[in-house]
Amino acid sequence: MQKTEQNNLATKRNTNVKRFPKELIFLCVFLLILVALAAGYAFWMMNKNLGLAHSPMNSNNNLHILDRIEWQGEPPSDKYEHLKLPISNVIISHTATEGCKTEEICIYRVQTIQGFHMKSLGWVDIGYNFLVGGDGQIYVGRGWHSQGQHVRGYGAVSISIAFIGTFVNMEPPVRQVEAAKRLMAEGVRLHKLNPDYHIYAHRQLSPTESPGQKLFEMIKRWPRWIPDVTQLRLLGNATLKFVTRAYWLAQLPGKALPPLNRPVNTVRFVLTASPACHTQAGCVFQVRLLQTFHIESSGYTDINYNFVIAGDTNIYEGRGWDQSCETEQDQFSSNKLVVGFVGPSDSNKKLALELIELGIKWGHISKDYTLIDNTA
């Protein structure tokens, strides 16, 4: 009996000895995991606070770049077209939104812009290559290697940098401007930008207020800013600036308009009898007045020009390439394209002839067209 109890006691001791090392091992493993997680988190925070200084995309300690993962960007809905690097042109825009001073708010702004570009405009992704926040950080859009959709026709020949905010009446903060300049310098260092790259403002290439008057005045003082956009337009294969109906806030036609029979064989130039205009805002006002007069006073269904050429050198879309204009006999000219001129026509005749050449190229106007010039 005593011997049996001694054997049981020995067995219990042996069992306890066997269990203790397993519990110790589990405890040690758990502690090691906690230490590893803490070290990893500390390392990540250190890199974040240093602006990812060791990243090949951001070797400049003063340049803080947040990649798409960091601002939690949505994946693109389709494939990108790639850029041919290095690029020689940078186009500066503003986002025409509220600005941001902290990383949290800037991330929210970028996410909102991406959502608008993809869901409302139907783009495959956020349109800009990079965005600059008021917090002095860079937010990666499409990056250095992918074509943007910032300015129609120029995505393949330029990099876009958008300042988050609206800078019509106020300048961007110094750290936002300096961050943009450092980004361009980094682009040269990484051989993404040519060392002799040129800078343009969005408004030089498209009928828009972007990047805002105050930022535009700053850009014009930068040594790489170029006032003449001829060469870039040739690269982008876009020599004409069109203002769509949506941009000049056109009214909807009173009813459906008959289509043009394309290619049309007649082009007619007419004076609108409107006062001359020289700014986009002034010309938009004149074109809207024309539409109102045609609908309410003349009884036309819509503005009665296919296109209007104004003193700001923009071409305003009226009935466009698709719809016929009306005659005084309440008939439609299905084989005639009508171009109206706001103000004196002589200086804009060249633009009108370029419009005709574009129409021929696109198959809207016959090569053997007849020009009726009623502006003389």
Side-chain angles (χ1 to χ4, degrees):
M1 182 74 174
Q2 184 177 1
K3 186 175 182 180
T4 302
E5 290 178 355
Q6 290 176 348
N7 289 337
N8 290 339
L9 183 60
T11 301
K12 289 182 180 180
R13 287 175 179 172
N14 290 337
T15 302
N16 290 338
V17 170
K18 289 179 183 179
R19 288 179 179 174
F20 181 74
K22 288 184 179 179
E23 295 172 353
L24 182 61
I25 290 172
F26 287 138
L27 180 61
C28 291
V29 170
F30 180 74
L31 290 175
L32 285 173
I33 291 173
L34 286 179
V35 171
L37 288 173
Y41 179 77
F43 181 77
W44 178 78
M45 286 298 294
M46 179 180 67
N47 277 342
K48 181 178 177 65
N49 292 333
L50 289 174
L52 302 177
H54 298 289
S55 169
M57 192 175 189
N58 183 17
S59 64
N60 187 341
N61 287 339
N62 294 321
L63 182 62
H64 297 248
I65 296 180
L66 273 73
D67 211 336
R68 294 173 63 97
I69 294 176
E70 294 179 270
W71 62 264
Q72 301 172 34
E74 294 291 331
S77 61
D78 203 348
K79 293 182 179 179
Y80 295 130
E81 293 290 334
H82 291 293
L83 286 168
K84 294 181 180 179
L85 301 175
I87 287 291
S88 298
N89 308 291
V90 175
I91 299 177
I92 305 293
S93 306
H94 71 180
T95 60
T97 63
E98 293 185 38
C100 58
K101 296 181 179 180
T102 66
E103 181 180 306
E104 180 182 4
I105 299 300
C106 289
I107 286 176
Y108 173 74
R109 297 274 184 263
V110 177
Q111 290 174 341
T112 302
I113 292 166
Q114 184 189 38
F116 174 72
H117 285 182
M118 296 181 72
K119 297 175 183 177
S120 298
L121 301 182
W123 295 353
V124 300
D125 195 3
I126 191 169
Y128 307 115
N129 295 93
F130 297 95
L131 300 94
V132 190
D135 60 347
Q137 299 191 108
I138 304 296
Y139 295 80
V140 177
R142 301 195 181 192
W144 293 114
H145 298 92
S146 302
Q147 294 183 20
Q149 288 179 269
H150 43 288
V151 184
R152 185 176 181 181
Y154 296 95
V157 294
S158 66
I159 287 287
S160 62
I161 300 177
F163 283 63
I164 300 175
T166 302
F167 303 103
V168 175
N169 299 314
M170 59 178 290
E171 293 184 349
V174 173
R175 61 180 179 177
Q176 192 170 12
V177 176
E178 290 302 313
K181 291 180 177 179
R182 291 190 186 104
L183 175 65
M184 290 183 278
E186 185 72 355
V188 173
R189 191 193 71 81
L190 295 174
H191 306 293
K192 312 299 183 184
L193 289 178
N194 271 321
D196 59 346
Y197 69 91
H198 297 147
I199 295 174
Y200 302 89
H202 186 177
R203 62 167 57 184
Q204 293 177 261
L205 303 162
S206 181
T208 176
E209 292 295 329
S210 178
Q213 184 61 30
K214 290 298 185 180
L215 179 52
F216 182 49
E217 290 172 0
M218 296 180 70
I219 292 171
K220 289 193 292 185
R221 297 193 295 268
W222 296 356
R224 294 185 180 276
W225 176 71
I226 299 294
D228 186 359
V229 298
T230 303
Q231 291 301 316
L232 182 55
R233 285 186 179 174
L234 292 174
L235 285 175
N237 195 27
T239 59
L240 300 175
K241 294 189 292 183
F242 287 91
V243 181
T244 64
R245 292 175 64 94
Y247 268 105
W248 62 267
L249 302 176
Q251 303 176 46
L252 294 174
K255 61 182 179 181
L257 300 171
L260 279 171
N261 293 329
R262 297 176 298 179
V264 298
N265 53 30
T266 304
V267 179
R268 183 184 174 204
F269 290 172
V270 297
L271 288 174
T272 64
S274 298
C277 60
H278 303 287
T279 65
Q280 182 184 336
C283 292
V284 164
F285 178 72
Q286 292 298 336
V287 174
R288 295 182 68 187
L289 280 182
L290 276 172
Q291 185 188 39
T292 300
F293 177 76
H294 282 182
I295 294 174
E296 297 182 3
S297 300
S298 301
Y300 293 132
T301 308
D302 194 2
I303 187 170
N304 204 34
Y305 305 111
N306 294 95
F307 296 97
V308 176
I309 300 181
D312 60 349
T313 70
N314 290 326
I315 298 178
Y316 290 78
E317 179 189 24
R319 302 193 181 197
W321 298 111
D322 299 320
Q323 276 81 42
S324 302
C325 288
E326 297 164 74
T327 66
E328 294 179 357
Q329 292 75 31
D330 199 25
Q331 301 294 319
F332 287 90
S333 300
S334 61
N335 61 351
K336 184 185 296 181
L337 192 82
V338 182
V339 179
F341 292 84
V342 173
S345 62
D346 292 343
S347 60
N348 284 329
K349 285 285 181 70
K350 183 175 181 294
L351 289 175
L353 294 175
E354 289 181 13
L355 176 66
I356 292 174
E357 291 299 317
L358 184 64
I360 294 172
K361 179 180 178 181
W362 288 352
H364 301 315
I365 300 174
S366 171
K367 293 180 180 179
D368 301 321
Y369 74 95
T370 299
L371 177 61
I372 302 174
D373 190 349
N374 296 136
T375 64

